[in-house]
Amino acid sequence: DVWDALVADDVNVLKLKDLEPGATKALDAFKAQCIQRYGSLEQAFKKLDAKLKPLVSRQEFFGLCREIRFGQNQHLLFDFLDEKQVGSILLTNIDEQATHQAFTCASRSEAERRHEALEPQLACAERPTLQQRAQEQCSTNNRPPEAMPSCRQALLEVLEKRWGSPVRAWGRILDPQQKGKVKTDKFLVGCAAAGYAGSK
């Protein structure tokens, strides 16, 4: 079933990294490249070209990705950081301590107020889906796409179709309280609410 395809036998919680492991790897790589380029995350945040820092738009974030020569999927990382799916992120989602060191309490509070007022945006459908990326990865590993467990594949297709990415679906339906993990019962409820009718 899909739960078993996503988590190990001895684990009773699902985390976003289990559903989309590339997101947490991308965040780690992003931090490392900021430190390599600027010496620290604090300095990277201070030098970031953004009008409303520490509130950063998608385009401003992508500008920083170009500046640090980020080699991972910047769209996936932005979706991961954009928990509310509003098209902007708070730098505290990347690193809270560095944000507190780089910006005053007043600027952080103003950014949080502006962020809270933003409305969710529709998912962008022009990026490759997780399914397409899995097929590409299977081809580079000389495995047929059918090698991906079918129940997991079916769930990912439902999440891609309805929310544009599993990362967006995670925040909307699987982990709306943003605890970072879900237990089996909450996962099954989320799957049902997402419209997944396969083997759970």
Side-chain angles (χ1 to χ4, degrees), residues 85-106:
Q85 292 108 39
V86 294
S88 292
I89 61 169
L90 292 167
L91 291 176
T92 51
N93 292 4
I94 297 172
D95 191 284
E96 192 167 346
Q97 182 179 354
T99 304
H100 282 259
Q101 293 170 341
F103 304 101
T104 65
C105 182

Side-chain angles (χ1 to χ4, degrees), residues 98-117:
T99 304
H100 282 259
Q101 293 170 341
F103 304 101
T104 65
C105 182
S107 64
R108 291 191 316 268
S109 295
E110 177 63 15
E112 288 170 10
R113 186 191 64 73
R114 287 177 183 259
H115 186 253
E116 195 60 38

Side-chain angles (χ1 to χ4, degrees), residues 155-175:
L155 173 63
L156 294 175
E157 286 173 1
V158 167
L159 300 179
E160 292 275 356
K161 183 177 180 184
R162 189 152 178 203
W163 284 278
S165 82
V167 173
R168 286 181 182 266
W170 177 266
R172 288 282 175 102
I173 198 83
L174 297 173
D175 185 24

